[in-house]
């Protein structure tokens, strides 16, 4: 389905699952829909399953918005007690549309809990109390985190899932990869058809050296590797340190949530020669200045001591402070301000989700979960930008139950697309 077709379904007021491969434009489409709703003065709650994902849309976590926090279970009495909180009551009274991004990382029991909370506040037994719900995510990417012995249940196993009359919009246009070889690799992973040709293509990138002076960002599966590399690389540089401290304003809990979940550090230490990554999108008059994942090297500092970053294209940009916010209708509830950079010799695969990278050194030799290889490789725009340090068998694997369910989602989206065309045809013939 195209973005245009999916947007028409969203505007029609249906409950929607927006899905599709990495780089198919799900976040872009959500932002278009959010803009449309605000122009129509329709109150939309913008949320995501994780704090990092929420910052991409200027929203908050679904747990915070629904008032459920970290609870795994709430009794009917506890849910009713939430209605006594005036700020939540005011929020639910106004909300007409609920967006939940990165829904693949949300547990099934939590979606049912959110449904129960919405019904209680809206005093309405329809799913989510009659609020239009738009969920976005790709189940082939990172799954819900399981705790203890209990295996996490994917969100589509929630009781409310089958009651929502969901319209599935499966985007299939590719806006990230412009390279046929990379597209073929990712397609083979999604279709569980990793053959000798795919492995040969990936192996051709093993132990390759970057052709540019700037070393590409390195992706690792474990936090300890990332922290050690970034600290060690910065320490090697014999140059003056410049420190940038984050500032915040608004409700304390929300400010702390932004700080915790934003990719930019509270205290950013830079030196001339540091490899850095922008962690925000910036557009001026619809022209892309940089995107979340653009890398470069600090080549100096301006008269206000802000870093000057030389991109791979050779262009130099002064990295001025930017803001991350949590919005409620037309009001900013919380804001943090920081230079939108982080050290980028290394990052985790987990934190790379949502990014677009022109080049990366990727170590998948210690992959330990389904979808980890797919998430890492799908960050790249081309195969030439891949510098593979190592890879294990687990990196090729996707969850078998997700693989089966994805086929069903694709079929449902094709049916929905057929219905759109049929309705459009009927409308045209009725006007003749």
């Amino acid at each position: 389905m195209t973005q245009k077709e999916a947007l028409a379904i969203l505007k029609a007021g249906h409950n929607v699952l927006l899905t599709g491969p990495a780089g198919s434009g799900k976040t872009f489409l959500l932002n278009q829909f959010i803009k449309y709703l605000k122009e129509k003065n329709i109150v939309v709650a913008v949320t995501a399953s994780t704090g990092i994902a929420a910052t991409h849309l200027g929203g908050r976590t679904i747990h915070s918005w629904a008032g459920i926090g970290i609870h795994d279970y709430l009794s009917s009495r506890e849910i009713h007690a939430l209605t006594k909180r005036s700020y939540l009551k005011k929020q639910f009274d106004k909300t007409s549309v609920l967006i939940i991004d990165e829904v693949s990382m949300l547990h099934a029991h939590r979606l049912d809990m959110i449904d129960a909370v919405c019904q209680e506040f809206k005093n309405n037994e329809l799913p989510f109390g009659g609020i239009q719900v738009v969920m976005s995510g790709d189940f082939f990417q990172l799954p819900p985190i399981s705790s203890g012995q209990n295996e996490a249940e994917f969100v589509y196993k929630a009781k409310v899932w089958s009651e929502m009359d969901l319209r599935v919009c499966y985007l299939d246009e590719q806006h990230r990869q412009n390279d046929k070889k990379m597209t073929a690799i990712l397609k083979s992973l999604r279709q569980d058809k990793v053959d000798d040709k795919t492995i040969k293509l990936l192996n051709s990138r093993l132990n390759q050296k970057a052709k540019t002076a700037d070393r590409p960002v390195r992706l690792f599966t474990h936090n300890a590797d990332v922290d050690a590399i970034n600290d060690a690389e910065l320490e090697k540089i014999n140059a003056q340190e410049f420190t940038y401290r984050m500032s915040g304003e608004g409700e304390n809990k929300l400010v702390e949530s932004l700080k915790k979940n934003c990719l930019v550090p509270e205290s950013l230490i830079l030196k001339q020669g540091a490899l850095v990554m922008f962690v925000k999108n910036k557009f001026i008059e619809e022209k892309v200045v940089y995107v979340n994942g653009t890398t470069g090297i600090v080549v100096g500092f301006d008269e206000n001591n802000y870093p000057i970053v030389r991109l791979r294209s050779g262009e130099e940009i002064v990295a001025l402070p930017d803001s991350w916010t949590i919005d409620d209708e037309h009001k900013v509830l919380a804001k943090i301000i920081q230079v939108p950079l982080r050290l980028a010799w290394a990052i985790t695969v987990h934190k790379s989700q949502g990014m677009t990278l022109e080049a990366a050194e990727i170590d998948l030799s210690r992959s330990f979960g389904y979808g980890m290889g797919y998430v890492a490789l799908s960050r790249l725009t081309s195969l030439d930008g891949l510098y593979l340090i190592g890879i294990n068998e687990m990196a090729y694997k996707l969850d078998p139950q997700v693989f089966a369910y994805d086929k069903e989602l694709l079929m449902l989206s094709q049916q929905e697309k057929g219905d759109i065309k049929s309705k459009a045809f009927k409308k045209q013939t009725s006007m003749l």
Side-chain angles (χ1 to χ4, degrees), residues 133-367:
V133 179
V134 177
M135 297 177 290
S136 176
D138 176 15
F139 292 111
F140 280 132
Q141 298 194 45
L142 298 175
I145 297 169
S146 57
S147 57
Q149 301 297 315
N150 299 322
E151 187 178 339
E153 290 278 17
F154 281 100
V155 71
Y156 55 79
K157 294 189 177 180
K159 179 177 175 289
V160 72
W161 192 267
S162 61
E163 301 168 357
M164 294 173 66
D165 189 24
L166 266 180
R167 308 302 168 94
V168 177
C169 298
Y170 198 122
L171 300 182
D172 61 354
E173 297 170 305
Q174 186 48 249
H175 300 279
R176 181 175 295 153
Q177 284 82 30
N178 52 16
D179 170 38
K180 289 181 180 177
K181 289 180 180 177
M182 196 69 210
T183 303
I185 289 169
L186 296 176
K187 188 176 180 180
S188 71
L189 281 168
R190 281 188 78 89
Q191 295 180 349
D192 195 25
K193 293 180 179 177
V194 176
D195 54 15
D196 290 343
K197 186 178 178 182
T198 302
I199 293 170
K200 188 177 178 181
L201 279 171
L202 287 170
N203 285 344
S204 73
R205 303 306 302 166
L206 272 169
N207 303 315
Q208 293 287 331
K209 299 297 179 186
K211 296 174 183 176
T212 58
D214 303 339
R215 187 170 185 174
V217 62
R218 283 173 268 179
L219 264 60
F220 289 88
T221 52
H222 293 73
N223 275 307
D225 296 326
V226 168
D227 294 339
I229 286 170
N230 282 330
D231 291 345
E233 292 290 343
L234 188 67
E235 188 66 29
K236 285 179 188 176
I237 299 174
N238 183 20
Q240 183 182 354
E241 282 187 358
F242 291 82
T243 302
Y244 308 90
R245 301 196 189 283
M246 182 185 291
S247 62
E249 56 189 65
E251 192 180 319
N252 285 340
K253 282 187 178 179
L254 295 179
V255 169
E256 289 306 311
S257 175
L258 272 174
K259 285 181 179 180
K260 180 183 174 184
N261 291 300
C262 192
L263 285 170
V264 71
E266 277 195 65
S267 180
L268 174 66
I269 301 172
L270 297 178
K271 299 177 184 179
Q272 186 170 334
L275 185 64
V276 292
M277 173 186 292
F278 285 91
V279 289
K280 204 167 194 299
N281 299 332
K282 187 172 183 65
F283 303 89
I284 295 178
E285 295 177 352
E286 298 189 1
K287 180 181 180 290
V288 177
V289 181
Y290 50 78
V291 297
N292 182 10
T294 298
T295 56
I297 190 166
V298 176
V299 293
F301 299 85
D302 73 357
E303 64 275 12
N304 296 312
N305 289 333
Y306 289 122
I308 302 167
V309 181
R310 181 182 295 146
L311 308 184
R312 292 184 174 276
S313 63
E315 183 184 0
E316 293 185 0
I317 293 172
V318 178
L320 297 173
D322 209 332
S323 62
W324 289 256
T325 62
I326 292 176
D327 303 323
D328 178 19
E329 203 173 356
H330 302 296
K331 181 182 176 185
V332 176
L333 299 178
K335 177 194 286 188
I336 57 171
I337 300 167
Q338 176 62 296
V339 172
L341 296 172
R342 66 175 288 130
L343 295 177
W345 284 284
I347 58 172
T348 60
V349 170
H350 187 275
K351 286 184 178 174
S352 76
Q353 190 157 316
M355 289 181 169
T356 300
L357 302 173
E358 291 177 12
E361 289 183 13
I362 300 179
D363 187 354
L364 294 171
S365 62
R366 294 169 66 203
S367 299

Side-chain angles (χ1 to χ4, degrees), residues 82-83 85-94 121:
L82 291 176
T83 63
R85 299 183 189 178
S86 58
Y87 74 95
L88 282 176
K89 188 175 188 312
K90 185 181 176 184
Q91 164 191 287
F92 276 94
D93 284 346
K94 293 187 297 182
F121 271 99

